Amino acid sequence: MERRFRPKLLFVSLLGLGLFGLLPQQPSRASSPVQSSPVQSSPVQSSPVQSSPVQSSPVQFNPYPTPMAEPILEPVQGMTAIPVSTDAILPEDLDQPYSIVGEYSGQTYIFLHTLDAQLNVGTDWFDSNQQPISYTTFLEQERAAYWASYGNFDETLVTELALKQANDYVPVMLWLSDETANKQSVITTLNSLTSQPYQFTQGQVAPTLYSALRKADLQALQWQPSIDRIYPSRSFDPQPEPLDINAIQSPLIHSALQTEYIPAFWQDENYGGGQKLALIEPGKVRPLYVDVVASQASCTNYPFDPHATAVANVMASSGALLGVASSAKIISSCISGDGQLEEALHWADTQGADVTNISLALEGSSQLGGPDRVVDYFTRSRHRLAVVASGNEGGFVATPAKAWNALSVGGFEDMNTIKWSGDEMLDVFSSDRSHHVVSAWQNPSNQAGAWEKPEVIAVGLLEMYGDGANNTEIASWAGTSVATPQVVGLVGLLLNVAPDLVSWPEAMKAIVMASSVHNLVGPLSITPNAGDLRDGAGAIVGSLARDIASSRSLSNWTSCNFSCWGAIELTDEQFPVGTTTGGKIWAAAGERVRVVVAWPARATAYYHFGMETNLNLSILSPSNQLVTSSNRVNSSFEMVDFIAPVSGSYSINVVNVASPETEHRIGIAALVYNQSLLLEIDNNLFIPIAQAN
């Protein structure tokens, strides 16, 4: 059974669990699951199915003030006062100390958010002796403690090996410490350390090797510094055939796309023409209503697949059931295991894919897996966005949707209406099967509780081609597998509005999140300390995303007079720790403003419990008063949402709290709109589907 960790801030030492007695303990090094299955986006079953999601407590910070924090609280009382306004939203956690216990070191740490003289929000760290430390020191201490306990083994591998005999073969992914190392030379060295030579497959995206090794030989490699991490390797099972769903009354895709304001692009005669949308599936796409311009050679070993065909049609069908971007091209890639994920991502990239859809998943868990790290590495190194389904089992978001740099997508039901009222996002099936979409939403384990997945949601119940012997018949599909390609199609449409976005996945992610204002669960924004929000930023709204993408005026200290986006590229000399970058956005009093800042996570062996780069986001009013801020300790984005208290130009301040980067890539999206106006045009925006293409 896979061991699960619940997201919380007080962690029990794993050494006390007695699981690792078979592994020798080694000195510290300086900082340096079960069978998988695709996301079940199969046609909805006609019979009731009971589903019990994994239960997990929401992230909770210790009560304020904690005993450890009381001595630190007194000195901060004399800090710069924050102007209080009944119209401004002030950060709830400012100047409040929080204590956490390191998951691996067992050390107690304290951090609090503070203001400098320029009203920029920073984060101060202290050890258990109340002495100031850096965020980097915190990470280094946790890494050293992890290495002393596990070496280069991933925790899930340790659990799996406990159930294996010495001569059992275990499929693994080896992530090399040196990204530039000659892989063949490394293979030669590794085989000199094992009892027998092994054949390794070299990863085509990341510094990885794949093979199946005996347990005893894996233990011989556990403390080798040339290996950064050893992950268990998994395979994706083929999708099941469509089931009989004739008794279910399902909505057409038309309703879903109108709920998401996608026809706003069609009014501009934008159907995604010229864009290449890739999908990675366990089978081939039947190219009847979609234009498949490239199909991976490995796909010849697979039959035409209903699931793959439905996903492709949601993105780009030109049939009577119109896809999101009906003029876009499709790149079809096939996959079954981890190593093939790298191969598929690499191949799609060489074919010119602008964005990649991954509607596949390993079982949800609280920890990052090897495929999550591969997706992060791909997005950061190739500068292309991957959009990944969160999973359909309730509980924890699945792998690889946990990847920091991926745009993860959950699903909801729009009740077959274009009105937002009544839309629902569920984590369990209803007993009478009146609801069919179950979306994974529980956040992965993270020491500071700042990891929010999925980032957005889309309609997860619709009708589309993909049934019958030729995959030409219409079937009802439910799940995040069909929600995800709607977001990919939206990305294709946005690339026609702003072609520069293709090489800025950080900015594209920020735009989609900033415009997803259809909130179904919890607060209107992803805010620090708010717990698990389930729907992330909200459900996608195409027309607002178009408005942001239409203007790239937001760059370093340039003002926007309306919704816009920016892509900032700076060296560490231009943006050292403690400095600020950003821009300005003009808003009228009473208008709603949402700002998202995103940057690429560096996929290290330890980034599941602490990202190396920590940026904060602050909004200052025209009179230079703090309006709101977002100060997530471990996250690859920051987000704020507020009502402008006065008319004028608001400063967007991005603060470098901690970062080892030599180059910074930051995407910013700012949305300004009249919320009541959006609701008023709900019934008038959409044109007849028959006229859309």
Side-chain angles (χ1 to χ4, degrees), residues 240-461:
E241 292 297 313
L243 302 176
D244 181 12
I245 43 75
N246 292 330
I248 297 178
Q249 181 179 0
S250 280
L252 297 173
I253 190 173
H254 302 163
S255 169
L257 301 190
Q258 292 185 86
T259 298
E260 297 161 353
Y261 283 67
I262 296 300
F265 291 92
W266 304 345
Q267 287 180 313
D268 297 336
E269 299 194 2
N270 178 358
Y271 306 104
Q275 307 307 323
K276 293 182 178 180
L277 314 180
L279 69 158
I280 298 175
E281 287 285 324
K284 291 190 296 185
V285 174
R286 182 173 288 278
L288 183 61
Y289 299 114
V290 292
D291 185 3
V292 179
V293 295
S295 185
Q296 193 173 8
S298 60
C299 289
T300 59
N301 299 323
Y302 295 85
F304 291 117
D305 180 68
H307 183 272
T309 301
V311 169
N313 276 289
V314 171
M315 287 194 288
S317 167
S318 59
L321 295 182
L322 204 64
V324 177
S326 58
S327 295
K329 310 296 183 182
I330 294 295
I331 295 174
S332 177
S333 185
C334 296
I335 180 179
S336 64
D338 289 358
Q340 290 184 348
L341 175 60
E342 282 201 56
E343 181 182 350
L345 285 167
H346 171 72
W347 178 83
D349 186 46
T350 62
Q351 300 302 307
D354 298 313
V355 58
T356 299
N357 184 101
I358 305 176
S359 288
L360 301 169
L362 299 172
E363 181 180 276
S365 72
S366 65
Q367 301 291 313
L368 277 162
D372 295 300
R373 191 174 177 186
V374 166
V375 170
D376 275 337
Y377 193 92
F378 169 81
T379 301
R380 179 185 169 96
S381 62
R382 304 291 180 92
H383 303 307
R384 290 294 184 271
L385 181 65
V387 185
V388 188
S390 70
N392 303 331
E393 299 301 322
F396 287 111
V397 169
T399 290
K402 291 191 292 289
W404 295 85
N405 299 333
L407 180 58
S408 304
V409 182
F412 74 98
E413 292 191 42
D414 71 345
M415 305 307 172
N416 201 14
T417 70
I418 66 175
K419 300 289 289 185
W420 287 0
S421 59
D423 293 352
E424 291 187 340
M425 181 182 181
L426 304 177
D427 60 351
V428 294
F429 286 112
S430 57
S431 58
D432 61 357
R433 296 292 291 180
S434 59
H435 301 291
H436 312 288
V437 180
V438 172
S439 179
W441 56 269
Q442 289 184 356
N443 294 333
S445 175
N446 179 253
Q447 289 201 152
W451 199 345
E452 183 63 36
K453 291 286 182 176
E455 285 91 355
V456 298
I457 59 175
V459 177
L461 179 63

Side-chain angles (χ1 to χ4, degrees), residues 24 103 176 180 194 206 290 361 460 470 482 574-575 636:
E103 182 175 0
L176 305 183
T180 64
T194 55
V290 292
N470 295 320
V482 289
Q574 295 170 315
F575 189 43
S636 59

Side-chain angles (χ1 to χ4, degrees), residues 146 152-154 174-175 227-231 373 605-606:
Y146 184 101
N152 56 32
F153 279 5
D154 186 68
L174 282 68
W175 198 289
I227 303 175
D228 190 52
R229 184 60 56 89
I230 305 178
Y231 300 93
R373 191 174 177 186
Y606 305 96

Side-chain angles (χ1 to χ4, degrees), residues 427-668:
D427 60 351
V428 294
F429 286 112
S430 57
S431 58
D432 61 357
R433 296 292 291 180
S434 59
H435 301 291
H436 312 288
V437 180
V438 172
S439 179
W441 56 269
Q442 289 184 356
N443 294 333
S445 175
N446 179 253
Q447 289 201 152
W451 199 345
E452 183 63 36
K453 291 286 182 176
E455 285 91 355
V456 298
I457 59 175
V459 177
L461 179 63
L462 46 81
E463 287 185 344
M464 183 44 72
Y465 308 109
D467 202 359
N470 295 320
N471 308 141
T472 58
E473 298 177 15
I474 296 173
S476 295
W477 297 85
T480 56
S481 276
V482 289
T484 304
Q486 294 172 62
V487 178
V488 171
L490 171 60
V491 169
L493 297 173
L494 291 172
L495 289 175
N496 271 355
V497 177
D500 290 349
L501 281 169
V502 69
S503 60
W504 278 95
E506 306 86 1
M508 181 65 80
K509 183 176 182 178
I511 290 172
V512 174
M513 291 179 65
S515 58
S516 296
V517 299
H518 177 17
N519 180 256
L520 275 73
V521 183
L524 295 178
S525 177
I526 301 176
T527 57
N529 314 339
D532 200 321
L533 303 182
R534 294 177 57 180
D535 64 348
I540 60 172
V541 182
S543 59
L544 297 183
R546 177 200 57 182
D547 292 346
I548 300 174
S550 296
S551 176
R552 186 183 175 179
S553 299
L554 189 61
S555 59
N556 198 27
W557 301 116
T558 299
S559 180
C560 285
N561 293 324
F562 32 72
S563 299
C564 61
W565 68 281
I568 300 175
E569 198 163 14
L570 300 170
T571 66
D572 58 340
E573 294 180 351
Q574 295 170 315
F575 189 43
V577 171
T579 61
T580 300
T581 187
K584 291 179 179 291
I585 184 73
W586 195 94
E591 285 187 312
R592 182 175 173 183
V593 182
R594 180 183 275 198
V595 179
V596 176
V597 176
W599 60 94
R602 183 155 61 178
T604 70
Y606 305 96
Y607 75 140
H608 70 282
F609 63 79
M611 281 187 57
E612 296 178 313
T613 297
N614 180 19
L615 306 182
N616 286 348
L617 172 63
S618 301
I619 305 296
L620 303 184
S621 70
S623 58
N624 206 38
Q625 295 183 343
L626 180 68
V627 177
T628 186
S629 68
S630 180
N631 324 302
R632 307 168 73 82
V633 176
N634 289 330
S635 180
S636 59
F637 68 84
E638 298 286 359
M639 176 178 180
V640 296
D641 193 312
F642 64 97
I643 304 299
V646 297
S647 297
S649 187
Y650 290 78
S651 296
I652 301 171
N653 288 358
V654 182
V655 185
N656 186 350
V657 178
S659 177
E661 302 282 9
T662 57
E663 295 182 355
H664 299 271
R665 288 173 57 91
I666 304 171
I668 305 179

